[in-house]
Amino acid sequence: HGGAETDLTFGKYSGGIWMPVSGNISNHTFTGTSELTSFSDFTGGEQSAMPVKLTSFASSLNTRNVKLRWTTESEINNYGFEVQRSVIDKNDYIKVGFIYGKGTTNNITNYEFNDLKLNTGKYQYRLKQIDHNGNFEYFYLNGFVEVGVPEKFNISQNYPNPFNPVTKIDFDLPFDSKVNISLYDITGREVRSLINEQRTAGYHTLQFNASDLSSGIYFYRIITKSSAKDFVMTKKMAVVK
């Protein structure tokens, strides 16, 4: 280290994030306070090495939608946070969103991000905090988020609607089921089979391209067969070209 000892800061890894710890630095020795009371990972470096002091990072779940919340105590040159998600134990993180930071501030700042319409499974999250110079560090959510199976059968209104030419349809299966989703025109004639196969219990999304269909009103119907009672539902969609 080529700078002064007073330029150093120390951090402790706790609850999935690096937390600053206070103490005294003198004669190449760091003397900690009561925060150094248990075994943990510690790091030290120049203050510029940890531009963001994150004080919390938590999640909440509503059916298949995840809300992430985190709080910073202070920020230095903070460009923002890239939100990344991975299937548990695969370590294959992908970017799912970005939230701009506050640059430099000593004020407490609260952030949140919504990750919507996840399939059934277990997920891990981390934040890639990036400064304006391109430097970055990671903050990990402690534990994982588990999206379970739905409590009942359902099929959603397609979105967007009206549409041209692509739309999506969500459907929920509380049990493994044989699923048939077919499309009908206004006269009741079947014009296309969208799904006709076995699907596992969980949340599913079907993407449908109507580029070969004429403008007009159509109906889509789901029929499921499983260990439970058969489920049938029909909804209307509009193709506009």
Side-chain angles (χ1 to χ4, degrees):
H1 172 65
E5 287 185 345
T6 54
D7 293 332
L8 291 174
T9 187
F10 281 80
K12 173 183 177 181
Y13 193 71
S14 175
I17 61 176
W18 287 102
M19 302 287 292
V21 295
S22 58
N24 298 314
I25 302 174
S26 178
N27 297 323
H28 308 293
T29 300
F30 175 78
T31 303
T33 63
S34 59
E35 296 171 271
L36 306 179
T37 57
S38 61
F39 290 104
S40 186
D41 292 324
F42 293 89
T43 189
E46 292 184 352
Q47 292 186 16
S48 59
M50 291 196 300
V52 170
K53 293 183 179 180
L54 201 74
T55 57
S56 67
F57 184 21
S59 66
S60 58
L61 178 66
N62 181 12
T63 60
R64 62 187 300 196
N65 301 320
V66 176
K67 181 185 291 291
L68 300 174
R69 295 186 179 91
W70 63 98
T71 300
T72 61
E73 179 181 305
S74 62
E75 303 176 24
I76 300 175
N77 196 34
N78 180 26
Y79 175 61
F81 301 90
E82 184 176 292
V83 183
Q84 299 183 351
R85 180 187 70 225
S86 172
V87 176
I88 192 169
D89 295 332
K90 288 192 176 182
N91 201 33
D92 55 349
Y93 284 92
I94 61 172
K95 178 182 176 181
V96 295
F98 185 85
I99 301 295
Y100 287 99
K102 297 298 183 181
T104 298
T105 179
N106 287 319
N107 296 326
I108 293 175
T109 307
N110 297 310
Y111 296 92
E112 68 176 44
F113 175 81
N114 293 300
D115 196 13
L116 305 178
K117 295 185 179 296
L118 295 175
N119 292 329
T120 297
K122 297 180 180 180
Y123 301 95
Q124 294 171 310
Y125 287 90
R126 70 183 183 186
L127 302 174
K128 182 180 181 180
Q129 182 273 316
I130 307 170
D131 69 19
H132 285 282
N133 299 321
N135 302 313
F136 62 88
E137 63 178 325
Y138 291 109
F139 298 96
Y140 289 82
L141 181 69
N142 194 26
F144 60 88
V145 176
E146 182 173 5
V147 178
V149 298
E151 296 181 354
K152 62 180 181 179
F153 290 99
N154 191 43
I155 188 167
S156 72
Q157 182 63 54
N158 64 299
Y159 58 97
N161 187 49
F163 69 98
N164 178 31
V166 177
T167 190
K168 294 181 179 181
I169 302 170
D170 297 329
F171 60 97
D172 306 342
L173 305 175
F175 304 97
D176 295 350
S177 306
K178 176 69 180 296
V179 179
N180 178 278
I181 302 178
S182 296
L183 186 70
Y184 302 86
D185 64 16
I186 195 72
T187 69
R189 178 178 62 94
E190 182 177 343
V191 296
R192 183 176 298 179
S193 175
L194 303 180
I195 290 180
N196 188 23
E197 62 187 20
Q198 187 75 19
R199 289 291 184 98
T200 58
Y203 298 95
H204 300 269
T205 299
L206 162 68
Q207 181 166 292
F208 165 54
N209 191 319
S211 57
D212 59 335
L213 296 179
S214 302
S215 296
I217 300 298
Y218 295 85
F219 298 89
Y220 57 98
R221 175 180 296 167
I222 184 172
I223 301 174
T224 69
K225 295 184 179 297
S226 66
S227 58
K229 184 179 179 180
D230 294 352
F231 172 73
V232 181
M233 180 175 285
T234 303
K235 289 184 179 290
K236 180 171 65 174
M237 65 169 60
V239 178
V240 178
K241 295 185 177 181

Short mmCIF file of all heavy atoms in Angstrom, two decimals, residues 60-94:
data_model
loop_
_atom_site.label_atom_id
_atom_site.label_comp_id
_atom_site.label_asym_id
_atom_site.label_seq_id
_atom_site.Cartn_x
_atom_site.Cartn_y
_atom_site.Cartn_z
N SER A 60 -38.96 -10.55 -1.26
CA SER A 60 -40.29 -11.02 -0.89
C SER A 60 -40.91 -11.64 -2.13
O SER A 60 -40.56 -11.29 -3.27
CB SER A 60 -41.15 -9.89 -0.35
OG SER A 60 -41.29 -8.84 -1.29
N LEU A 61 -41.85 -12.56 -1.92
CA LEU A 61 -42.43 -13.34 -3.02
C LEU A 61 -43.94 -13.24 -2.99
O LEU A 61 -44.57 -13.39 -1.95
CB LEU A 61 -42.01 -14.80 -2.90
CG LEU A 61 -42.54 -15.79 -3.94
CD1 LEU A 61 -41.99 -15.47 -5.33
CD2 LEU A 61 -42.20 -17.22 -3.54
N ASN A 62 -44.54 -12.97 -4.17
CA ASN A 62 -45.99 -12.98 -4.35
C ASN A 62 -46.30 -13.89 -5.52
O ASN A 62 -46.09 -13.50 -6.67
CB ASN A 62 -46.51 -11.56 -4.59
CG ASN A 62 -48.02 -11.50 -4.76
OD1 ASN A 62 -48.72 -12.48 -4.47
ND2 ASN A 62 -48.53 -10.39 -5.23
N THR A 63 -46.75 -15.11 -5.24
CA THR A 63 -46.97 -16.18 -6.22
C THR A 63 -45.70 -16.40 -7.04
O THR A 63 -44.78 -17.02 -6.57
CB THR A 63 -48.20 -15.90 -7.12
OG1 THR A 63 -48.02 -14.68 -7.84
CG2 THR A 63 -49.46 -15.82 -6.28
N ARG A 64 -45.63 -15.85 -8.26
CA ARG A 64 -44.45 -16.05 -9.11
C ARG A 64 -43.69 -14.76 -9.36
O ARG A 64 -42.85 -14.70 -10.26
CB ARG A 64 -44.89 -16.67 -10.45
CG ARG A 64 -45.84 -15.80 -11.25
CD ARG A 64 -46.38 -16.48 -12.49
NE ARG A 64 -45.36 -16.90 -13.42
CZ ARG A 64 -45.61 -17.24 -14.68
NH1 ARG A 64 -46.85 -17.23 -15.16
NH2 ARG A 64 -44.64 -17.61 -15.48
N ASN A 65 -43.96 -13.73 -8.56
CA ASN A 65 -43.31 -12.43 -8.71
C ASN A 65 -42.41 -12.16 -7.51
O ASN A 65 -42.84 -12.27 -6.36
CB ASN A 65 -44.35 -11.32 -8.84
CG ASN A 65 -45.27 -11.54 -10.03
OD1 ASN A 65 -44.83 -11.96 -11.10
ND2 ASN A 65 -46.55 -11.25 -9.85
N VAL A 66 -41.16 -11.76 -7.77
CA VAL A 66 -40.18 -11.51 -6.72
C VAL A 66 -39.90 -10.02 -6.64
O VAL A 66 -39.66 -9.36 -7.66
CB VAL A 66 -38.87 -12.27 -7.00
CG1 VAL A 66 -37.81 -11.92 -5.96
CG2 VAL A 66 -39.11 -13.77 -7.01
N LYS A 67 -39.94 -9.47 -5.43
CA LYS A 67 -39.55 -8.08 -5.19
C LYS A 67 -38.25 -8.07 -4.40
O LYS A 67 -38.15 -8.68 -3.33
CB LYS A 67 -40.63 -7.32 -4.42
CG LYS A 67 -40.28 -5.85 -4.17
CD LYS A 67 -41.34 -5.16 -3.29
CE LYS A 67 -42.65 -4.99 -4.03
NZ LYS A 67 -42.53 -3.99 -5.13
N LEU A 68 -37.25 -7.39 -4.94
CA LEU A 68 -35.97 -7.23 -4.26
C LEU A 68 -35.88 -5.81 -3.71
O LEU A 68 -36.24 -4.85 -4.39
CB LEU A 68 -34.81 -7.47 -5.23
CG LEU A 68 -34.74 -8.85 -5.89
CD1 LEU A 68 -33.63 -8.87 -6.93
CD2 LEU A 68 -34.53 -9.94 -4.85
N ARG A 69 -35.40 -5.68 -2.47
CA ARG A 69 -35.20 -4.37 -1.84
C ARG A 69 -33.80 -4.32 -1.25
O ARG A 69 -33.35 -5.29 -0.63
CB ARG A 69 -36.23 -4.14 -0.74
CG ARG A 69 -37.68 -4.04 -1.20
CD ARG A 69 -38.58 -3.67 -0.02
NE ARG A 69 -39.97 -3.54 -0.38
CZ ARG A 69 -40.86 -4.52 -0.34
NH1 ARG A 69 -40.48 -5.72 0.08
NH2 ARG A 69 -42.12 -4.32 -0.69
N TRP A 70 -33.13 -3.19 -1.44
CA TRP A 70 -31.84 -3.01 -0.80
C TRP A 70 -31.66 -1.54 -0.42
O TRP A 70 -32.29 -0.65 -0.98
CB TRP A 70 -30.68 -3.51 -1.66
CG TRP A 70 -30.48 -2.82 -2.98
CD1 TRP A 70 -29.59 -1.82 -3.28
CD2 TRP A 70 -31.16 -3.10 -4.22
NE1 TRP A 70 -29.68 -1.46 -4.61
CE2 TRP A 70 -30.62 -2.24 -5.21
CE3 TRP A 70 -32.17 -4.01 -4.59
CZ2 TRP A 70 -31.07 -2.25 -6.53
CZ3 TRP A 70 -32.62 -4.02 -5.91
CH2 TRP A 70 -32.06 -3.15 -6.86
N THR A 71 -30.79 -1.31 0.57
CA THR A 71 -30.58 0.02 1.12
C THR A 71 -29.09 0.31 1.19
O THR A 71 -28.30 -0.55 1.59
CB THR A 71 -31.19 0.14 2.53
OG1 THR A 71 -32.60 -0.11 2.46
CG2 THR A 71 -30.95 1.52 3.12
N THR A 72 -28.71 1.53 0.78
CA THR A 72 -27.33 1.96 0.91
C THR A 72 -27.23 3.06 1.96
O THR A 72 -28.11 3.91 2.07
CB THR A 72 -26.77 2.50 -0.43
OG1 THR A 72 -27.53 3.63 -0.84
CG2 THR A 72 -26.86 1.42 -1.51
N GLU A 73 -26.15 3.02 2.72
CA GLU A 73 -25.89 4.06 3.72
C GLU A 73 -25.22 5.26 3.08
O GLU A 73 -25.47 6.41 3.46
CB GLU A 73 -25.02 3.47 4.83
CG GLU A 73 -24.66 4.45 5.93
CD GLU A 73 -23.76 3.82 6.97
OE1 GLU A 73 -24.16 2.76 7.51
OE2 GLU A 73 -22.68 4.36 7.23
N SER A 74 -24.34 4.99 2.11
CA SER A 74 -23.66 6.05 1.37
C SER A 74 -23.19 5.48 0.04
O SER A 74 -23.07 4.26 -0.13
CB SER A 74 -22.47 6.60 2.18
OG SER A 74 -21.51 5.58 2.39
N GLU A 75 -22.92 6.37 -0.90
CA GLU A 75 -22.46 5.97 -2.23
C GLU A 75 -21.39 6.94 -2.72
O GLU A 75 -21.49 8.15 -2.48
CB GLU A 75 -23.62 5.93 -3.23
CG GLU A 75 -24.77 5.01 -2.82
CD GLU A 75 -25.96 5.06 -3.79
OE1 GLU A 75 -25.74 5.43 -4.97
OE2 GLU A 75 -27.08 4.74 -3.36
N ILE A 76 -20.39 6.39 -3.40
CA ILE A 76 -19.35 7.20 -4.02
C ILE A 76 -19.24 6.81 -5.49
O ILE A 76 -18.96 5.64 -5.80
CB ILE A 76 -17.98 7.01 -3.32
CG1 ILE A 76 -18.07 7.40 -1.84
CG2 ILE A 76 -16.90 7.83 -4.02
CD1 ILE A 76 -16.79 7.11 -1.06
N ASN A 77 -19.51 7.75 -6.39
CA ASN A 77 -19.33 7.54 -7.83
C ASN A 77 -20.13 6.33 -8.33
O ASN A 77 -19.69 5.59 -9.20
CB ASN A 77 -17.83 7.34 -8.14
CG ASN A 77 -17.51 7.50 -9.61
OD1 ASN A 77 -18.13 8.31 -10.31
ND2 ASN A 77 -16.56 6.73 -10.09
N ASN A 78 -21.32 6.13 -7.77
CA ASN A 78 -22.10 4.93 -8.09
C ASN A 78 -22.97 5.14 -9.34
O ASN A 78 -23.90 5.94 -9.33
CB ASN A 78 -23.00 4.56 -6.90
CG ASN A 78 -23.83 3.31 -7.17
OD1 ASN A 78 -23.44 2.46 -7.96
ND2 ASN A 78 -24.96 3.21 -6.49
N TYR A 79 -22.65 4.39 -10.40
CA TYR A 79 -23.45 4.45 -11.62
C TYR A 79 -24.77 3.71 -11.45
O TYR A 79 -25.83 4.19 -11.87
CB TYR A 79 -22.65 3.86 -12.78
CG TYR A 79 -23.42 3.75 -14.08
CD1 TYR A 79 -23.93 4.89 -14.70
CD2 TYR A 79 -23.63 2.52 -14.68
CE1 TYR A 79 -24.63 4.80 -15.90
CE2 TYR A 79 -24.34 2.42 -15.87
CZ TYR A 79 -24.83 3.56 -16.48
OH TYR A 79 -25.53 3.46 -17.66
N GLY A 80 -24.71 2.52 -10.83
CA GLY A 80 -25.96 1.79 -10.62
C GLY A 80 -25.74 0.34 -10.31
O GLY A 80 -24.62 -0.13 -10.10
N PHE A 81 -26.87 -0.41 -10.29
CA PHE A 81 -26.88 -1.81 -9.90
C PHE A 81 -27.45 -2.65 -11.03
O PHE A 81 -28.60 -2.44 -11.45
CB PHE A 81 -27.72 -2.02 -8.64
CG PHE A 81 -27.27 -1.24 -7.45
CD1 PHE A 81 -27.77 0.04 -7.22
CD2 PHE A 81 -26.35 -1.76 -6.57
CE1 PHE A 81 -27.37 0.78 -6.12
CE2 PHE A 81 -25.94 -1.04 -5.46
CZ PHE A 81 -26.44 0.24 -5.24
N GLU A 82 -26.69 -3.60 -11.50
CA GLU A 82 -27.20 -4.60 -12.44
C GLU A 82 -27.75 -5.76 -11.61
O GLU A 82 -27.04 -6.36 -10.82
CB GLU A 82 -26.09 -5.08 -13.36
CG GLU A 82 -26.55 -6.05 -14.43
CD GLU A 82 -25.43 -6.42 -15.39
OE1 GLU A 82 -24.99 -5.54 -16.16
OE2 GLU A 82 -24.97 -7.58 -15.35
N VAL A 83 -29.04 -6.05 -11.78
CA VAL A 83 -29.68 -7.14 -11.03
C VAL A 83 -29.50 -8.43 -11.82
O VAL A 83 -29.85 -8.50 -13.01
CB VAL A 83 -31.17 -6.85 -10.81
CG1 VAL A 83 -31.81 -7.96 -9.97
CG2 VAL A 83 -31.37 -5.49 -10.15
N GLN A 84 -28.96 -9.46 -11.17
CA GLN A 84 -28.67 -10.73 -11.83
C GLN A 84 -29.35 -11.88 -11.10
O GLN A 84 -29.44 -11.87 -9.87
CB GLN A 84 -27.16 -10.97 -11.90
CG GLN A 84 -26.41 -9.91 -12.69
CD GLN A 84 -24.94 -10.20 -12.80
OE1 GLN A 84 -24.40 -11.11 -12.16
NE2 GLN A 84 -24.24 -9.43 -13.62
N ARG A 85 -29.80 -12.86 -11.88
CA ARG A 85 -30.52 -14.03 -11.33
C ARG A 85 -29.90 -15.31 -11.86
O ARG A 85 -29.46 -15.37 -13.01
CB ARG A 85 -31.99 -13.97 -11.72
CG ARG A 85 -32.82 -15.13 -11.19
CD ARG A 85 -34.24 -15.10 -11.76
NE ARG A 85 -34.25 -15.43 -13.18
CZ ARG A 85 -34.95 -14.77 -14.11
NH1 ARG A 85 -35.68 -13.72 -13.78
NH2 ARG A 85 -34.91 -15.15 -15.36
N SER A 86 -29.90 -16.34 -11.02
CA SER A 86 -29.40 -17.65 -11.41
C SER A 86 -30.30 -18.74 -10.84
O SER A 86 -30.88 -18.57 -9.76
CB SER A 86 -27.97 -17.86 -10.89
OG SER A 86 -27.54 -19.20 -11.10
N VAL A 87 -30.46 -19.83 -11.58
CA VAL A 87 -31.09 -21.02 -11.01
C VAL A 87 -30.15 -21.54 -9.93
O VAL A 87 -28.93 -21.57 -10.11
CB VAL A 87 -31.33 -22.08 -12.09
CG1 VAL A 87 -31.89 -23.36 -11.47
CG2 VAL A 87 -32.28 -21.54 -13.16
N ILE A 88 -30.70 -21.92 -8.79
CA ILE A 88 -29.87 -22.28 -7.64
C ILE A 88 -28.88 -23.38 -7.99
O ILE A 88 -29.19 -24.33 -8.72
CB ILE A 88 -30.76 -22.70 -6.44
CG1 ILE A 88 -29.93 -22.79 -5.16
CG2 ILE A 88 -31.49 -24.00 -6.71
CD1 ILE A 88 -30.74 -22.93 -3.90
N ASP A 89 -27.65 -23.20 -7.49
CA ASP A 89 -26.55 -24.15 -7.61
C ASP A 89 -25.94 -24.23 -9.03
O ASP A 89 -25.00 -24.98 -9.24
CB ASP A 89 -26.95 -25.56 -7.17
CG ASP A 89 -27.30 -25.62 -5.69
OD1 ASP A 89 -26.75 -24.79 -4.94
OD2 ASP A 89 -28.12 -26.47 -5.31
N LYS A 90 -26.46 -23.47 -9.99
CA LYS A 90 -25.88 -23.52 -11.34
C LYS A 90 -24.87 -22.41 -11.58
O LYS A 90 -24.05 -22.50 -12.49
CB LYS A 90 -27.00 -23.44 -12.39
CG LYS A 90 -27.82 -24.71 -12.48
CD LYS A 90 -28.71 -24.70 -13.71
CE LYS A 90 -29.46 -26.01 -13.86
NZ LYS A 90 -30.30 -26.04 -15.09
N ASN A 91 -24.94 -21.33 -10.80
CA ASN A 91 -24.00 -20.22 -10.91
C ASN A 91 -23.95 -19.66 -12.34
O ASN A 91 -22.90 -19.29 -12.84
CB ASN A 91 -22.59 -20.64 -10.47
CG ASN A 91 -21.74 -19.44 -10.09
OD1 ASN A 91 -22.24 -18.45 -9.56
ND2 ASN A 91 -20.45 -19.52 -10.35
N ASP A 92 -25.11 -19.64 -13.02
CA ASP A 92 -25.20 -19.13 -14.39
C ASP A 92 -25.99 -17.83 -14.39
O ASP A 92 -27.06 -17.74 -14.99
CB ASP A 92 -25.83 -20.16 -15.32
CG ASP A 92 -27.19 -20.65 -14.84
OD1 ASP A 92 -27.55 -20.34 -13.68
OD2 ASP A 92 -27.90 -21.31 -15.61
N TYR A 93 -25.48 -16.84 -13.71
CA TYR A 93 -26.21 -15.58 -13.52
C TYR A 93 -26.44 -14.87 -14.85
O TYR A 93 -25.55 -14.78 -15.70
CB TYR A 93 -25.44 -14.66 -12.58
CG TYR A 93 -25.53 -15.05 -11.13
CD1 TYR A 93 -24.57 -15.88 -10.56
CD2 TYR A 93 -26.58 -14.61 -10.34
CE1 TYR A 93 -24.65 -16.24 -9.23
CE2 TYR A 93 -26.67 -14.97 -9.00
CZ TYR A 93 -25.70 -15.78 -8.45
OH TYR A 93 -25.79 -16.16 -7.14
N ILE A 94 -27.68 -14.36 -15.02
CA ILE A 94 -28.03 -13.56 -16.18
C ILE A 94 -28.57 -12.22 -15.71
O ILE A 94 -29.12 -12.10 -14.61
CB ILE A 94 -29.09 -14.26 -17.06
CG1 ILE A 94 -30.39 -14.50 -16.27
CG2 ILE A 94 -28.57 -15.57 -17.63
CD1 ILE A 94 -31.54 -14.99 -17.12
#
